[in-house]
Amino acid sequence: MTGTDTGIGKTVFSAGLTAFLDGAYWKPVQAGLDEETDSEAVGRLSGVPKERLLPETWRLKTPASPHLSAALDGVVIEPGALRPPMTTDRPLIIEGAGGLMVPLTPNVLFIDVFARWGLPVVLCARAGLGTINHTLLSLEALRRRAIPVLGVALIGAYEAENARIIAAKGAVKVLGCLPPLEPLDAPSLHTAFETHFRRADFLEGLS
């Protein structure tokens, strides 16, 4: 799971998808510990048991790009040590940090880790203004590195023309659109996924 940008709702989407697929969740690197972490948010919004929230490999104090947060914490991140856990037989939702090009270290981007793993990626993107450019650029970057793309998940108020042009010009499946939710809680998130997404679209890419 990755995104075209930071703060687009990737963690909320990860929570919904973890529950939707009755899966497990892993955040390799958590940057920022003073407020609710992404794993804690996923636990709260998904309702899955705590044992399915797999521990982060690195937990960094400062809410910043991992390379900067690690430097401020005096921590050295070893990208080669990031390997998807093999401790679950359920669908595993892995959430990267921020957007594709976020630096994990001064020399390694998160997209480089995705390329090494070779796992299918869901690209989360805003549904509204500006999404076409950001999404098509992100798809191009993924494909240049031969990273398989399961599809694009839009987040926000649905705009049909944006979805159409992304699917056509990006040659990609638009998996659905997660609308704004009020209140944002586990029941509303579960209902939204049941309404706007198909399990088969995600599970086919994992088989």
Side-chain angles (χ1 to χ4, degrees), residues 23-195:
Y25 170 86
W26 181 50
K27 176 85 173 186
V29 180
Q30 171 66 45
L33 301 177
D34 288 342
E35 299 181 356
E36 184 179 51
T37 67
D38 291 341
S39 292
E40 289 167 347
V42 168
R44 174 173 57 83
L45 290 171
S46 69
V48 302
K50 287 185 177 180
E51 58 267 24
R52 290 200 229 154
L53 305 175
L54 307 184
E56 304 95 334
T57 302
W58 276 281
R59 291 171 56 87
L60 307 169
K61 295 177 183 177
T62 305
S65 172
H67 84 291
L68 176 58
S69 186
L72 293 173
D73 283 5
V75 171
V76 177
I77 292 178
E78 173 48 60
L82 283 182
R83 299 183 181 88
M86 305 298 291
T87 55
T88 180
D89 57 359
R90 296 176 178 274
L92 177 61
I93 311 306
I94 302 173
E95 182 186 356
L100 283 168
M101 297 293 186
V102 165
L104 178 61
T105 72
N107 300 312
V108 177
L109 305 175
F110 241 102
I111 195 170
D112 300 322
V113 176
F114 292 140
R116 174 165 58 83
W117 290 345
L119 298 174
V121 166
V122 173
L123 179 64
C124 293
R126 287 185 175 86
L129 184 65
T131 192
I132 294 172
N133 179 66
H134 290 166
T135 304
L136 295 182
L137 285 172
S138 296
L139 289 170
E140 184 174 295
L142 288 164
R143 286 171 176 151
R144 285 185 61 186
R145 292 165 176 81
I147 299 171
V149 179
L150 188 62
V152 171
L154 299 174
I155 300 173
Y158 181 70
E159 295 190 19
E161 179 58 15
N162 285 348
R164 186 195 71 79
I165 202 73
I166 286 170
K169 293 297 184 183
V172 69
K173 178 181 288 187
V174 173
L175 299 164
C177 182
L178 179 63
L181 300 176
E182 184 59 45
L184 173 56
D185 54 21
S188 67
L189 188 57
H190 295 177
T191 298
F193 264 78
E194 292 288 350
T195 303

Side-chain angles (χ1 to χ4, degrees), residues 20 198-205:
F20 193 50
R198 296 175 62 250
R199 286 182 181 81
D201 287 340
F202 298 97
L203 294 175
E204 286 167 4

